[in-house]
Amino acid sequence: MSIETIKFDEKGLVPAIVQDAGSKEVLTLAYMNRESLEKSLETRETWFYSRSRQELWHKGATSGNTQQIVDMRYDCDADAVVVLVVPAGPACHKGEYTCFADSLLGEKVNVNPTRFAILDELEETIAKREAEMPEGAYTTYLFEKGVDKILKKVGEEAGEVIIAAKNRDPEELKWEVADLLYHTMVLLREQKLPLDDVLAVLEERHKPKKAE
């Protein structure tokens, strides 16, 4: 990415769409000028330009909710930027995971109506729990306890899957596999590894091998 490629508007700004690199949820829309874009590239954390205060601001400088940059992309007209990040907390000043939490339709719309859409929803929910850490939520408890607790649960659930399978109990097996998938996805989030990366490995393995 070359800054010279970016087309800033008449005020010297370019819109920056911030997206969670793991869940793919859009977190916020902000603006960057040339200096904040340079700082973002240099520090690998998001810096923006405040139009109201007319100054640079480092996301998370006071709250601790920084955003580690994984990639920065620009559109075909080079007049907008997408910033893929690993967030350390809520993106919204209201303490919510994303600034786009409210729906004009009044309900969550399934934008990926496939039989595996629940995995997208689960990954998004886990990401939201990690960012907001709502009191009383089981996922919050796991993140608070840390990787050792999460690993213990993954191990326990794997054992339960084995027992259910050995007992030829399909009803129990489906519940235990669901538990294992959930805890594995919590582990992936704790490790900052998107599910897409795992799916990419499966896709690569599934490709037919070229003849020598």
Side-chain angles (χ1 to χ4, degrees):
M1 177 179 181
S2 171
I3 292 182
E4 304 305 325
T5 307
I6 303 301
K7 298 176 182 176
F8 296 94
D9 64 17
E10 65 280 1
K11 296 181 180 179
L13 303 175
V14 62
I17 302 161
V18 182
Q19 184 180 27
D20 188 316
S23 72
K24 302 302 183 287
E25 180 80 4
V26 175
L27 301 179
T28 193
L29 169 65
Y31 290 84
M32 292 181 174
N33 62 4
R34 187 183 184 92
E35 185 180 359
S36 64
L37 182 54
E38 288 175 343
K39 279 186 169 292
S40 296
L41 288 168
E42 178 186 350
T43 64
R44 292 297 191 269
E45 290 188 352
T46 51
W47 286 75
F48 304 110
Y49 182 80
S50 171
R51 294 174 296 168
S52 59
R53 301 192 304 271
Q54 295 189 346
E55 64 181 13
L56 264 61
W57 61 283
H58 178 201
K59 172 62 179 173
T62 56
S63 66
N65 300 328
T66 54
Q67 296 170 338
Q68 179 186 348
I69 296 174
V70 175
D71 195 8
M72 296 183 75
R73 304 171 184 174
Y74 52 89
D75 72 339
C76 53
D77 294 322
D79 59 1
V81 177
V82 172
V83 188
L84 298 172
V85 304
V86 176
C92 183
H93 71 283
K94 294 181 179 179
E96 297 192 28
Y97 169 54
T98 171
C99 293
F100 297 95
D102 299 317
S103 171
L104 288 172
L105 298 178
E107 58 184 14
K108 184 176 177 61
V109 179
N110 184 359
V111 295
N112 185 25
T114 72
R115 66 193 184 108
F116 298 118
I118 184 58
L119 294 180
D120 291 331
E121 294 180 22
L122 181 58
E123 187 172 33
E124 178 186 328
T125 298
I126 290 170
K128 184 176 181 182
R129 292 289 187 270
E130 184 195 35
E132 299 178 358
M133 299 292 275
E135 186 177 352
Y138 177 64
T139 309
T140 298
Y141 163 77
L142 290 175
F143 283 126
E144 287 178 340
K145 290 297 182 180
V147 66
D148 286 346
K149 180 64 176 181
I150 297 171
L151 289 172
K152 182 180 178 182
K153 291 300 298 181
V154 170
E156 289 176 356
E157 298 303 339
E160 295 294 335
V161 167
I162 292 171
I163 293 171
K166 287 289 288 182
N167 290 337
R168 301 291 184 182
D169 188 340
E171 186 67 22
E172 185 67 18
L173 181 59
K174 71 180 182 181
W175 287 99
E176 298 303 343
V177 170
D179 286 344
L180 178 58
L181 283 173
Y182 159 74
H183 286 93
T184 299
M185 290 181 70
V186 172
L187 176 63
L188 291 177
R189 184 68 189 186
E190 195 279 337
Q191 296 284 305
K192 309 305 180 191
L193 179 64
L195 180 61
D196 280 355
D197 287 8
V198 178
L199 298 179
V201 172
L202 293 174
E203 185 177 2
E204 183 64 29
R205 289 177 177 175
H206 186 65
K207 289 180 180 178
K209 294 183 178 180
K210 294 181 180 179
E212 294 295 336

